[in-house]
Amino acid sequence: MSLTTLLLLVKSTLTAREGTMAGEETVKLKVKSGDKESFIAFHRDAHVKYIAGLSEKLDKPSSYEGAVTEHLRMSGIYWTYAALSLLVSPTEADEILGVTSSPGDRPSIVDWVIKCYDKSTGGFGGNLGHDAHILYTLSALQILVMAEYDLSLLPRDDIIKFIVSLQQKDGSFVGDQWGEVDTRFTYCALSALSLLSSLDSVDVPEAVEYIASCQNLDGGFGSMQGAESHAGQVFCCIGALSIAKSLHVIRHPDLLGWWLAERQCDSGGLNGRPEKQADVCYSWWILSVLSILGRVDWISRDKLATFIGKAQDPEDGGIADRPDDMPDIFHTFFGLAGLSLLKKFPDSYRQIDPVYALPVDVVLKQKLSAQVLGSNGEVEERLSHYEVVERRK
C-alpha cells in the first residue's frame, strides 16, 4: 500500500470519528475464551473525563501526586496527550487539553513545552527551570509533533548538538551531563533525531553495536552490558534497532520472542521479568516489540485484553497497573496503547505506532522511517509503510 493511500485512509478514519464518537459511553470489545465469544466493557467516556481532569488535580498545591511527579511533568503531559489522542479526534484533544491555545492564565501545552527548553544545554527539562535530559527532550518533541508544531521553529541545531554530545566512545548514550548510561537513552536519542530528520548526526553503527552487546543469553536485553534482561529495556533496544534499520543484529529473534511470550502470566497480563507480578504497562513494552518482530500471535491476545479491561476504573476512569489498584496516567496510556496493538478498538479509533509510540497518522505525516520483520514481505497494515525484512529464527 502506498504512503498516499495510507494517508487518505487515516484522514477518512479521523473524519468519521469526529461524527461517530460523540455521546458514546461504553464500547464493547470482543474477546474469546476457547470457543466462547464474550465482550469487555471499555469505559471510553470515563477515561476521557479522567484524562481531562488530571491537570486541575495535579496543579493543586495540596496534591501529593503533583508534588512527586513534578520532575517528570513533561513525560506526564506526553502520556496524557497520547492517551487522549487514541480516544478522540485531534481537534477534540486540542480543545480538551488546551494544546495550542488555552483560556485564562494557563499557558497552552505547546507554549509550556517551549518554555521548558534549556538554552544553556540545548535540551528540554522535565519541568520549568529543570535541567535538560534526553528523556524529556524526546517527550517534548513527541508532544510538539502530535500538536503539528513546526519543528523548524525550534533551535534545531542546538537540540541536535545536545543529543550528539550524549553519545559515548563505545556507542552508548548518557541521559544528561551527569553521565548515567542506559539503553533507554539510546532509544530516546535515535527517536528524537529521527523526529528532527537528523539521524545521521550521531554514530549510528556504534550505537547499534553497543545495543547488540547488551543482548543476554536468554535472548533479552538489559539497561547496559551484562545487566538483567527487562521488558522495558527490550523495547528500548529493539525500538532503537528498528529506527536504525538494523534488526539483523538480533541474535536468535525466536529466542527473544520466546522470552517475551514467557512474560504472560496466568492472569493474562504480562510481567517485565521472571517471577514478577503482571503489570498493564508491559502491554506496551512487550506488545510493541512483538509487533516489530512479527510475533504478536505468540501470546494470547484475548487473555491480555481481558486483564487490561479488568484494570479499568469504570466509575472515575483511568487504568491501573493491575485490577483493583488505583489508576494513573502512565498505566492508562500504556493500557490504551496495548489495546490498540491488540486491535481491540473499533476501526474508527486512531492506532498507535509500535516504534515511535505516536498515533500512526502522526508518524505518516512526519514521514518517519523504521524497519520491521515480516513473513513473505507481509506485515500488519499499520506497519506497511516501513521497511520490511524477512523473519528468521
Side-chain angles (χ1 to χ4, degrees), residues 251-317:
R251 300 192 306 275
H252 309 300
D254 272 0
L255 180 61
L256 172 57
W258 180 251
W259 187 88
L260 292 168
E262 282 190 320
R263 306 278 64 77
Q264 189 157 37
C265 304
D266 292 342
S267 63
L270 302 168
N271 64 23
R273 47 197 170 131
E275 303 303 323
K276 296 294 183 178
Q277 286 193 73
D279 188 313
V280 162
C281 73
Y282 296 110
S283 306
W284 163 260
W285 302 120
I286 290 176
L287 274 177
S288 55
V289 177
L290 292 175
S291 295
I292 294 170
L293 300 180
R295 290 167 169 82
V296 174
D297 289 334
W298 284 27
I299 64 167
S300 171
R301 295 171 182 257
D302 292 319
K303 287 182 179 180
L304 177 55
T306 300
F307 176 80
I308 299 172
K310 289 179 179 178
Q312 297 177 99
D313 185 328
E315 297 179 0
D316 297 326

Side-chain angles (χ1 to χ4, degrees), residues 4-22:
T4 302
T5 303
L6 277 170
L7 284 169
L8 288 173
L9 282 172
V10 166
K11 183 177 180 181
S12 64
T13 297
L14 295 180
T15 303
R17 290 188 69 259
E18 299 228 21
T20 60
M21 298 289 286

Side-chain angles (χ1 to χ4, degrees), residues 75-377:
S75 292
I77 290 176
Y78 156 67
W79 298 327
T80 301
Y81 189 11
L84 189 61
S85 294
L86 297 179
L87 299 178
V88 303
S89 71
T91 301
E92 290 171 309
D94 190 346
E95 292 174 352
I96 291 170
L97 296 178
V99 176
T100 58
S101 63
S102 181
D105 298 330
R106 181 189 297 275
S108 70
I109 285 178
V110 167
D111 288 341
W112 181 86
V113 169
I114 299 302
K115 289 179 181 178
C116 289
Y117 177 69
D118 182 0
K119 294 180 180 179
S120 65
T121 59
F124 288 85
N127 209 326
L128 297 173
H130 288 215
D131 293 341
H133 196 285
I134 190 60
L135 290 172
Y136 309 124
T137 298
L138 174 59
S139 291
L141 294 173
Q142 289 171 316
I143 293 167
L144 293 175
V145 296
M146 282 192 287
E148 298 186 7
Y149 182 84
D150 184 357
L151 296 187
S152 68
L153 298 176
L154 296 174
R156 181 176 173 276
D157 291 344
D158 290 335
I159 297 173
I160 292 171
K161 287 179 182 177
F162 167 70
I163 299 173
V164 170
S165 72
L166 301 177
Q167 189 169 28
Q168 307 300 294
K169 291 181 179 179
D170 62 358
S172 65
F173 282 82
V174 296
D176 57 16
Q177 61 179 317
W178 306 112
E180 179 190 7
V181 172
D182 195 306
T183 48
R184 290 179 300 156
F185 307 150
T186 301
Y187 170 78
C188 290
L190 297 192
S191 184
L193 288 173
S194 183
L195 290 173
L196 293 168
S197 302
S198 190
L199 189 58
D200 58 357
S201 296
V202 293
D203 191 333
V204 175
E206 282 292 330
V208 167
E209 186 175 340
Y210 179 79
I211 294 171
S213 72
C214 294
Q215 187 172 15
N216 295 316
L217 293 175
D218 58 12
F221 290 79
S223 60
M224 60 182 67
Q225 293 172 348
E228 178 187 12
S229 295
H230 188 282
Q233 306 297 153
V234 171
F235 163 75
C236 292
C237 291
I238 300 305
L241 292 177
S242 174
I243 294 170
K245 297 182 180 179
S246 298
L247 294 175
H248 64 276
V249 304
I250 302 172
R251 300 192 306 275
H252 309 300
D254 272 0
L255 180 61
L256 172 57
W258 180 251
W259 187 88
L260 292 168
E262 282 190 320
R263 306 278 64 77
Q264 189 157 37
C265 304
D266 292 342
S267 63
L270 302 168
N271 64 23
R273 47 197 170 131
E275 303 303 323
K276 296 294 183 178
Q277 286 193 73
D279 188 313
V280 162
C281 73
Y282 296 110
S283 306
W284 163 260
W285 302 120
I286 290 176
L287 274 177
S288 55
V289 177
L290 292 175
S291 295
I292 294 170
L293 300 180
R295 290 167 169 82
V296 174
D297 289 334
W298 284 27
I299 64 167
S300 171
R301 295 171 182 257
D302 292 319
K303 287 182 179 180
L304 177 55
T306 300
F307 176 80
I308 299 172
K310 289 179 179 178
Q312 297 177 99
D313 185 328
E315 297 179 0
D316 297 326
I319 301 175
D321 56 349
R322 56 187 61 92
D324 300 322
D325 279 359
M326 289 291 291
D328 59 74
I329 191 57
F330 177 84
H331 291 93
T332 298
F333 169 50
F334 289 124
L336 295 175
L339 290 172
S340 177
L341 290 174
L342 289 169
K343 301 180 183 179
K344 293 301 180 182
F345 286 147
D347 292 340
S348 59
Y349 281 51
R350 297 170 83 182
Q351 297 183 44
I352 194 74
D353 179 83
V355 179
Y356 289 97
L358 293 167
V360 170
D361 57 287
V362 174
V363 171
L364 291 171
K365 288 177 183 177
Q366 294 294 317
K367 298 181 180 179
L368 301 178
S369 63
Q371 185 182 78
V372 295
L373 302 185
S375 179
N376 297 318

